[in-house]
Amino acid sequence: MEMLLSTKGITICLFFFVLSLAAAIEIPLSVSQLPTITEQSHTQVAYPFDEDFTIKCEARGNPHPTFNWTKDGKPFDLLSDPRIVTSNNSGTFVIQNRGIINNFQGKYRCFASNVLGTAMSEEIELIVPSVPKFPKEKIEPLDVEHGDSVILHCNPPKGIPPLHIYWMNIDLQHIPQDERVSMSLKGDLYFANVEENDSRSDYCCFAAFPRLRTIVQKMPMTLKVSRLKHANDSGSPNAAVTKANFIKERKPKLLIPPESAGSSSSVTVIKGGVLLLECIAEGLPTPHLSWVKVTGNMPKDEPETENFGKILKIDQVSAADEGTYQCTASNPMGRAKHEFHVHVEEPPQWLKKPEGGVYSVGTNLVLLCEAIGNPEPSIQWKLNGMPIDSRTFRGRISTREISLTNLQLQDSAVFQCEATNKHGTILASANVNVLNIAPLILTSDGENYATVVGYSAFLHCDIFASPAADVRWTKDDSIEPLSTFRYELNKNGTLEIKDTKKEDSGSYACWAANSVGKRAITANLDIRDATKLVVTPKNARVLKSHSILLKCQAEYDSHLKHSFKLSWRKDGDELPVNSTEGGRMILDRDTLFISSVLLEDQGVYTCVGSTSLDSATAESRLIVLDVPDPPEDLQLSENQNRSVRLSWRAGSSHNSPVNESIIEFEENRWEPGRWQELTRIPGDDTTALLSLAPYVNYQFRVVSVNAVGRSQPSKPSLRYSTPPAAPDKNPENIRVEASEPNEMVMKWEPLKPVERNGPGLEYKVSWRQRGVRTDWNEEMVKKHSLTVRNTPTFVPYEIKVQAVNNLGSGPEPNVTIGYSGEDFPDAAPSGVSVDVVNSTLVKVFWFGIPRDRVRGHLRGYKVSWWKTKNMLDGKRHHPEKHFLTFVGDRNYGMIPGLDPFSEFCLTVLAYNSRGDGPESSPVVFETPEGVPEQPRFLRILNFDKDSVTLSWGLPRKANGHLTGYILQYQIINETHEVGPMSDVSVTNRSTLSWRLSGLSPSTKYKFYVKACTAKGCGKPVTEEGLTVAQGTYAGIYDGISTQGWFIGLMCAIALLTLLLLTICFVRRNKGGKYSVKEKEDLHPDPEAQSIKDEIFGEYSDSDEKPLKGSLQSLNGDIKATESADSLVDYGEGEHGMFNEDGSFIGAYSGSKEKGSVESTGSSTATFPLHA
C-alpha cells in the first residue's frame, strides 16, 4: 500500500509538470484548436441619446468559430429584428436606436463553436432605462402646529444611478438644512420640529440623473405652521409661543429607522463598498445624534459622519467593520436608540481557476475550480457551454475538480466553471486541446542576429509540438550540442549566449524532434565592439553665473555608425536637443554648454550613447558653488548686562563650506541705520557669546562667508538694550596742536558713541606745568578740545583727559606731555662756510642755534643763495634767491645746480613750526669754470661733391674761457649704420666756420661741433647732409642761384628757421625736448660726454620744476670721499629735492638765465646749393 502511494505521488508530480508545460504553450493559429473568447462586452446601458449600442463578442479558433447568442437563458436570433446589425466572422452585433428598444433589455451570453468545441462568454447585461418622471399629482397643503414633526416625501422616480436629490424653492435656492431640518438618503425632507418661518408654499424636490443627463422636479408642496390652537391670550405673542413650546416639548423619537422596525435591524454591505447607517429623529428641543460601535472599536478614531451627524459613513468596508453599531438621539427630555447589526458579504472570487492547455495523446487531465465568497458560492461545471451530465461523462467530476485519464484526440473540449452567489457570478474557461503533431518551428530560417561584446545574445527557436519536442543547438559544422556554462537553453527553445566574445560569431542550428517527427533551422550571429563613453570633466565645480562645457567622447563599432545617437540627461530626465532656457543650455552633438550657471543647474549630467545593439552612459556631477544663503532664525539667550548669546540657523552653503560668520550690529541712539562689524566667528559655528557695551540698544545680523564670498545679511534679530554704566576708557591721541605764542590748544580723539556707556558724557581735562610743584588745573568740557591762554612760550605741560558721564568717571587717565605755543626762532646760525666741490656743486657748513633760542620744536635749516655776477664778463646780476631745506638738527648740506664760473652769496636760517628765524650773515663764494653748453646752431653753407663749409654759433653759455672747437663727421646711411669718426680741432676760439675737404660724392654725412674750455668740451650740435653727384655741381648751381624764385624760397626758409628757433627757445625754458635730442638718440655721438657730467639734471626755474639726476651724475672733479656722502647732505626745496634712498625729488628754487637752449637743431632736408 505504501509503495502504491509513493508511485501515485510520483505520477501526480510528473502529471502536474507536464500540465504546467502544456499550459505554457500557445498554439499557433495554423494548428487545429478549440475556440477562445478574446473580447466581450460587460454590463452596458442603452442611453436614449446614443445612436446605437454595440454588444461585443470576438473569438479565435481553427476552424474559425461560429457564433450564437442567448438572452435571459433562451436562444436569441440576431436576425429577428431589423435594427440589429451583425458582422461577418464575428459575434459582435449593433442595436440601432430606432423606436422602442425596451424589449432589448436583458442578460446576453455569447457562444463561439467549431468542430472541436464551444467557448462561452460571461453574461452581458443590457439595461434600457426609461426616462424618469414624477407622477402628476395634486399635493394637499400640510397645516401643522408650531413644534410638530413633519416629513415632506420626495419619492423620486427610478433611473440609472447615481441619483442626486435637492430640495429648493421656486427660485432655485436651496432649502437651508441643519440638525433640525435635513434630507434622508431616500430624499425625503425631515423636520424634527417646525417653526413658523418654515411656512412656505414652494418646497420643491429635484431629482438629477447625471448619466441620463436629466433633472426632474416634483410639484411644489405647501407647509403652513401655526401657533398652538389652545394658547391663551393673557400674555404677549412671545409668551404664547413659549407656552406652546413648553406644551410640545418631548423626548426624541426615531423616524429612521421607524419604530415599527423595532430596537434593532440588520444591514448587509458588500466588502470594499461603502457602509451608510442613517438615524433621523424628531423631538423638541431638536435631538442630537451620536454613534458608537457596540462590538469592538470604530474603524477610525473619529468616525466619519454626514448630514449633521445623522449618517455614519465607512469607506472601503472590510471584515473588521462587521459588528453592531448604535445611534442615540438625545435632548433634555430623554433619548432614543437603535442598533444596526452589520454583516459584510462579498461576491465570488477565485482561489483556483481551471487552466487548459495542449495535451498529447495518452496523458491525463485534472482541472481545479475553487472560489470563495459570502455567502459561499455554488460551483457548476459546463462542457462546451452545456452542463455536464455525470452519467455520460467518462471522467470523474466533483464540485471542485474534473479529471480525465488516457486523453484521446476526441477529448478536446472547452470546460467552463461558474461560481455564483447572490452578489454575482464569475466564469472561468479552460481549453483542453489534445494534439499529436510533429514539431513546428515558428521562427524563420536563416535569421541574422547581432550583439556587442559582453552582452548576451538570444537566438530564437520558437517551437510548437505535441508531444513536447527535444531541442538542441549546434554551431558551425559541429554536430555536438552546445553545453558549456555560457550557453543556456530556455523553455521556449531560445538559446542564450552569455557574456559574448568575438569568437562567438558564426552559424548556429536549432534541432527539434518528438515521436511524430523533427525539424531544424539555422541562425547567423555577428559580434560587434561595445560602445564606450567618457565625459569630461568628470566632476566639475563651477561658480554660479560662470559657464561650463561638458564633452562626451565616444567609441563605437564602425558597422553601427549609422545608428549611433548621443543624448544628454540631467538627473535622469532627457534634455531637449534644441537650445533650452533661452539659449542658456546649448547641446551641440557631443558637447553640452551651460552659460550663466544657476543653482538649479546642479546635478548629475549623463551622456547616453546608443546604437541599434547597445547603449552606454557616462556621468559627470556638476557642483555649483555660490555664496551662502543668509542665516535664518536669529535668537537671543543668556541675557547679561554686558553680554548676550546670539544663535542662528545657517543657510545653504552651496557646496562651499562656511569658514567664517560676521556678526554686525546697529544701534538706534547715536547712528541709526548704520551697521557696524562687531565680531567674527571662525568656522561653521552657529552661536556666539557677544561682548556688549553699556547704554546701547542693539540689534544684530549675521553674514556667512565661504570661499566664494559673503552672503546677504540675515534678517535683524530682536532689539536688546544694555543698561548704562560709567565709562570704561578715556580718550586717546591726546596732543597739543600748533597755536599762538602764550597759548596751548589741547585736543584728543572723542569717545565713539558705543564707548560712552551712558548719558551726559563730558571730559575732565587736567593740566599743570611740568617740573613745577603746583596743583592740577581742571576743567569739564563737552567738546574734544580745550584752549588755555597766558601760558609761557614753549613750556612742557603734563596733561590728563578723563571721560565722565552721569553714572561716574572712567579709569584714572595716563599723563601726556605737551608743549605750549611756539614763537619764531630768535637767533641765526653762525660759522657759515662753503666748500666748492665742482663748477655746479658746493657743500655748506654752519653751527646750529642754541636750543633755548629755537623757541619751539626745531624743524631744520634753510640755505638761501643768489648769483651776484658772471666771472666771464664781470656783469652784475639782479639777485634772484633760491633755497633748499634741510630737515632736522644738522650742520651741513649740499647745494647743486649752480652756474659755473660765477660769484654767489649764501645765507642760512633755522625754522620751527611757527616759522623762520633770522638769516646768518651772507657768505660769498665763486664756482670754477665748467664745460660750455652746446653751440647755438650748425649750418651747412656750401656743399660740393667732395667738400663742405660748416658754420656754427657761439654756445649759449660758455661757462668759462673758450679754448676752441672740435669738429667731427662720419658717413651714415638709411639703415642707421655709421662709418668711422673723423676729428678736426679748431684752436682759434673766434673761428665760427670751417671747410672740410676729401668727402665722397653722393654720400650722406653727419657732422658734430662742440665748444671747449680748459675744463673740457661740451655737448655737440649736429647736422646731416648729402654731397652732390659728380659732374652735376656747376650746372645746377649756375642755373638755380640766379633764379628769383630760388632767392624767395631761401628767404622763406630763413624766416621759418627763425620761427622754429623761437619755439624751441620757449620749449626749452619749459623743459621740453627737441628734435635734435631725438636725432642724437638715433645717431649717438661716440665722443660726446654725458649731460650729467657736472649737473644733476635740469634745474628748476622760478616755476620750481623738479630737479633730475642723482649722485652718480656729478662731475668727475668730485672727490671719492665726497661722492660717498649721504644724500641727506642735499637739502629740500619747497617740495624737497632728495629722499634718503638717493632719489632727487626736491625743487631748486630760483631761475636760471633766460634763453638757455640745448640746440637749435636742424632739418635733414637737402642742403642749400649756394652760401
Side-chain angles (χ1 to χ4, degrees), residues 251-254 259 281 289 327-331 334-338:
K251 70 176 184 177
K253 173 184 175 184
L254 289 175
E259 282 190 335
L289 269 296
C327 74
T328 302
S330 58
N331 69 6
R335 63 182 58 193
K337 299 181 180 180
H338 187 86

Side-chain angles (χ1 to χ4, degrees), residues 143-146 148 224-233 240 244 247-248:
D143 192 356
V144 296
E145 294 181 353
H146 193 286
D148 287 346
K224 296 181 180 178
V225 180
S226 60
R227 296 181 186 177
L228 186 64
K229 295 178 181 178
H230 302 291
N232 61 31
D233 300 328
I247 295 174
K248 290 285 186 177

